[in-house]
Amino acid sequence: MKSIYLDHAASSPVHPEVAEEMMRVMTSQYGNASSVHSYGREAKRKVSGSRDEIAALLGCFPDELVFTAGGTESDNLAIFGTLEGLGLQGKHVITSAIEHHAVLHTCEELEKRGCEVTYVPVDSEGRVSVEEIARAIQGNTVLITIMFGNNEVGTVQPIREIGELAHSKGILFHTDAVQALGSEFISCKEFPVDLWSFSAHKINGPQGIGALVVKRGTPLSPRLFGGLQEKKRRAGTENMAGIAGFAKAVQLAVQGLDERRAHYIKLRETLIEGLRHEIGQDAFVVNGHPEFYMPQILNISFPEISTETLLMNLDMEGIAAASGSACTSGSLEISHVLQAMKLSENVLRSAIRFSFGLGNTTQEMEYTAQKIGTILKRLRK
Ligand SMILES: *Cc1c(COP(=O)(O)O)cnc(C)c1O
């Protein structure tokens, strides 16, 4: 049986060059970057080299980069780190209804601690409106946090416009760019954004490492206390191998951006074309935005069949897809993203997320379309 992985938005395989780099660091550069001996100095050089490399690729200053344990920690640090310094009580935050749970649940926690949060809605294509955000701004609004590109339907948000609006009102702006890196053009200095979250394992890097980019001058209180690492913004011995692997993954993602996008677009078109051929245009609907979308994420509803039935049948054919985000797919809850898009009941209950990676081929897309055709035919009987 074939084995086809179409869940790269949940996690992606480590690129061989990343693994090789990590192996080298784990076995030969194992010092603690805070130690004063030669091993420590060597480790410190390595961390600082990786930091310089990532900063250059992301378009920020090296001292703006805070290494974290991944996207979730970066989101938490961005939100709590700014709010706590400003005093939580009576402050107002604006976010959207379709954020990753790392942002949504953090905002819910803020509410428990005396903050006010507005969750702006999205349209049926998953996009927030800048006017809606403008209307939500109050005198006590201190932070706007809106993701760059959505992990379930791929919709890309008007980040530049939101950032300009925020800054015109003296409000900080954070974006979760975990899914956008390696798919969209990212330059921290070219966008009016104060805080950016990134994660390595969505771009063929290792799990458990990521970064928060904090623009110079942005107030940020630490969440972890201990050593003086990351300029006191995130205590803890540096994840040396993770950082080195992350640097390699960012390099591959940023330098190979055009080829990656072209590859994803080809896969996407092949799968959609294959489905048209196998089951007909009327048997499925693509969820998301027709213009502003990340090509590696393709969310499709097959209204005749429930999400869990199709996922299970695909899994039996060796094809791994998802119902939504990894966190919600364990349970069979309906995705908060699709719900916020106010899709009809049978579209909500039949949505599948296919997310592509470097190793996928157009043949795999044709095969997947064929298998979906077979499954649908079998179930119709
Ligand atoms: C995966 C993901 C995260 C969480 O990142 P981790 O490194 O897994 O903690 C946050 N935001 C988005 C949009 C994601 O896709």
Side-chain angles (χ1 to χ4, degrees):
M1 190 178 71
K2 278 199 173 81
S3 160
I4 301 177
Y5 186 71
L6 301 178
D7 199 12
H8 293 80
S11 202
S12 61
V14 170
H15 192 285
E17 286 181 46
V18 171
E20 203 179 303
E21 171 71 3
M22 292 179 71
M23 189 66 175
R24 187 162 47 238
V25 171
M26 285 188 284
T27 51
S28 67
Q29 290 170 310
Y30 43 79
N32 184 318
S34 300
S35 304
V36 293
H37 46 59
S38 62
Y39 294 86
R41 290 197 303 275
E42 167 76 10
K44 192 170 180 172
R45 253 197 310 278
K46 184 68 193 170
V47 170
S48 135
S50 298
R51 190 188 305 280
D52 291 350
E53 229 175 284
I54 297 173
L57 291 158
L58 296 180
C60 67
F61 293 109
D63 62 16
E64 293 178 323
L65 200 59
V66 180
F67 289 120
T68 65
T72 301
E73 188 190 328
S74 296
D75 287 341
N76 273 263
L77 179 58
I79 296 168
F80 268 115
T82 51
L83 262 289
E84 226 160 37
L86 299 168
L88 289 163
Q89 290 292 329
K91 294 293 188 289
H92 178 236
V93 174
I94 299 171
T95 187
S96 83
I98 58 152
E99 298 298 308
H100 189 274
H101 283 142
V103 167
L104 279 183
H105 290 166
T106 303
C107 286
E108 286 164 17
E109 185 59 32
L110 284 181
E111 288 184 279
K112 288 187 196 147
R113 301 188 193 188
C115 280
E116 206 184 323
V117 180
T118 301
Y119 302 86
V120 296
V122 294
D123 62 20
S124 60
E125 290 161 344
R127 217 158 188 251
V128 302
S129 112
V130 181
E131 293 72 47
E132 196 90 46
I133 294 174
R135 266 199 299 278
I137 293 176
Q138 307 173 173
N140 57 346
T141 308
V142 292
L143 176 73
I144 297 176
T145 169
I146 302 283
M147 71 203 313
F148 203 109
N150 182 265
N151 50 303
E152 293 191 32
V153 293
T155 303
V156 173
Q157 304 300 336
I159 292 306
R160 208 178 283 279
E161 291 79 355
I162 300 168
E164 279 161 8
L165 168 68
H167 288 175
S168 76
K169 306 276 184 190
I171 299 167
L172 292 172
F173 181 39
H174 164 245
T175 191
D176 175 335
V178 168
Q179 290 291 344
L181 186 59
S183 176
E184 292 293 309
F185 168 74
I186 301 280
S187 167
C188 297
K189 63 171 180 282
E190 287 183 33
F191 282 84
V193 175
D194 305 293
L195 302 128
W196 298 78
S197 295
F198 298 107
S199 176
H201 74 108
K202 307 293 175 74
I203 54 163
N204 307 101
Q207 294 163 343
I209 180 79
L212 180 68
V213 170
V214 187
K215 282 262 174 79
R216 283 180 182 170
T218 308
L220 190 86
S221 318
R223 306 292 301 151
L224 296 180
F225 300 89
L228 307 179
Q229 292 92 350
E230 303 301 305
K231 298 197 184 298
K232 295 197 219 167
R233 292 167 297 186
R234 203 277 190 182
T237 299
E238 293 84 350
N239 175 354
M240 290 278 298
I243 290 169
F246 185 28
K248 179 50 93 177
V250 174
Q251 186 204 326
L252 294 167
V254 171
Q255 291 177 349
L257 183 64
D258 293 344
E259 293 102 276
R260 271 182 198 239
R261 281 187 65 88
H263 179 61
Y264 298 146
I265 289 168
K266 200 158 79 221
L267 296 171
R268 179 184 186 91
E269 287 174 351
T270 310
L271 182 52
I272 293 176
E273 196 44 55
L275 287 172
R276 277 196 194 116
H277 178 74
E278 296 290 335
I279 63 176
Q281 179 77 67
D282 298 337
F284 69 99
V285 46
V286 176
N287 303 313
H289 202 282
E291 184 184 353
F292 304 111
Y293 64 86
M294 300 181 293
Q296 81 276 21
I297 292 177
L298 178 58
N299 193 301
I300 301 184
S301 289
F302 302 87
E304 287 174 54
I305 176 171
S306 77
T307 302
E308 50 269 38
T309 307
L310 185 49
L311 277 183
M312 223 159 53
N313 278 276
L314 282 172
D315 187 40
M316 288 192 289
E317 302 287 356
I319 300 167
S323 64
S325 69
C327 325
T328 47
S329 58
S331 59
L332 294 174
E333 267 171 56
I334 289 187
S335 136
H336 66 283
V337 176
L338 299 174
Q339 262 175 327
M341 289 160 66
K342 299 198 169 63
L343 304 177
S344 68
E345 193 67 15
N346 58 349
V347 171
L348 279 182
R349 296 196 177 276
S350 63
I352 304 270
R353 177 187 71 184
F354 302 97
S355 50
F356 312 128
L358 295 177
N360 290 132
T361 63
T362 51
Q363 288 88 329
E364 288 179 337
M365 299 304 119
E366 287 159 6
Y367 182 83
T368 300
Q370 277 164 17
K371 286 297 174 195
I372 292 172
T374 320
I375 293 166
L376 280 183
K377 270 189 213 102
R378 191 166 64 225
L379 291 169
R380 276 175 191 156
K381 280 195 192 135

